Amino acid sequence: MIETAIRFFQEGGFFMFPIAFILVIGLIVAIERYVYLSAQKVTNRRDFRQLHHKLANRDLRGALNYASESGSAMSAMIGAGLQRLARRQSREDIEYAMEEGLLEVMPRLEKRTQYLSTLANVSTLLGLLGTIIGLIAAFTAVASADPAEKASLLSQSISVAMNTTAFGLISAIPLLLLHSVLQTKTNEIVDSFEMAGVKVLNLVADGRAPAPATGSQKPAAADNPANAGSVA
């Protein structure tokens, strides 16, 4: 099996090497992105549970300290909203702050993932280019060959040239699949951010977390659960 693979690679010609290089780079990017996104998913879930617990217990200062010390994407997004909440700003301002925080962390989640689709396309194109160049060389060689050997030489040359296209597709297909998997994983994390933002806003509206006071309310009204529905 290994000898067959080595012979297949050697018979493909020069373009087998750049295709192999692209495949290796794509696999490295895919592994790095998968590990990063998996770690972010676990960390964001943990930090959201901690922040949600502190906000449910009306511990705004503790939530702010945790968000500033954690450094995760979830803490950065929620922390942006908590800073507005600490300054007694409206619910709309808190929502805008969290949306801004989400826009800041999204590039980190989507970073390098799009490279995989580009690498897959380049791999396919290199395979086709190698095949075309191989066919040109084959027909050039056949033109000056003995008539009795032309059919055999042509079929052998075409078979070798097709190896490049085959290897290009072998490299491109898994890269496209990995791109789809990573894109789905990224979308799940983004959806979890949106869900977390809605839950934080609901905590504020329900009065289970410190809510910003309006100009017509007395300072003590924010601590009264019966008046929490008019806040924000």
Side-chain angles (χ1 to χ4, degrees):
M1 182 67 180
I2 297 178
E3 294 179 357
T4 302
I6 294 175
R7 185 172 64 254
F8 167 77
F9 187 84
Q10 291 175 342
E11 291 177 352
F14 168 78
F15 283 92
M16 300 290 274
F17 293 97
I19 294 173
F21 178 76
I22 288 175
L23 176 61
V24 172
I25 295 298
L27 292 176
I28 292 174
V29 171
I31 293 172
E32 184 271 334
R33 285 287 88 194
Y34 186 85
V35 172
Y36 176 81
L37 293 175
S38 298
Q40 282 292 308
K41 186 175 182 179
V42 174
T43 303
N44 291 335
R45 185 179 301 165
R46 179 201 64 200
D47 288 351
F48 174 73
R49 284 199 298 262
Q50 292 292 333
L51 291 170
H52 190 275
H53 177 72
K54 292 180 182 296
L55 290 174
N57 293 328
R58 302 179 61 79
D59 184 10
L60 177 59
R61 184 178 298 274
L64 280 170
N65 291 336
Y66 186 90
S68 62
E69 293 173 359
S70 173
S72 69
M74 180 67 72
S75 296
M77 185 200 72
I78 297 180
L82 295 181
Q83 291 176 1
R84 299 285 182 92
L85 178 61
R87 294 197 292 267
R88 300 285 183 174
Q89 296 187 7
S90 66
R91 173 175 175 149
E92 288 76 14
D93 292 331
I94 298 172
E95 184 176 1
Y96 293 152
M98 287 194 291
E99 289 178 356
E100 182 181 353
L102 176 59
L103 292 176
E104 291 179 355
V105 301
M106 279 185 63
R108 284 187 284 170
L109 299 175
E110 299 175 345
K111 187 177 182 180
R112 287 188 292 273
T113 300
Q114 299 300 327
Y115 290 169
L116 294 177
S117 61
T118 302
L119 291 174
N121 291 330
V122 172
S123 176
T124 303
L125 293 175
L126 283 175
L128 292 174
L129 180 60
T131 297
I132 291 173
I133 292 178
L135 290 176
I136 293 174
F139 283 113
T140 302
V142 167
S144 58
D146 185 270
E149 300 178 353
K150 282 187 176 182
S152 175
L153 182 60
L154 182 60
S155 61
Q156 183 179 1
S157 300
I158 291 177
S159 175
V160 172
M162 289 298 179
N163 289 344
T164 312
T165 298
F167 189 55
L169 294 175
I170 290 172
S171 302
I173 292 172
L175 291 180
L176 287 176
L177 292 176
L178 290 171
H179 174 264
S180 179
V181 170
L182 293 176
Q183 194 65 49
T184 302
K185 201 172 187 65
T186 302
N187 292 336
E188 290 177 355
I189 295 176
V190 173
D191 291 341
S192 70
F193 279 119
E194 296 176 353
M195 178 199 68
V198 171
K199 288 190 174 183
V200 169
L201 290 173
N202 288 338
L203 280 177
V204 174
D206 293 341
R208 293 195 293 268
T214 62
S216 61
Q217 288 179 313
K218 296 180 181 180
D223 297 330
N224 188 355
N227 297 330
S230 62
V231 180

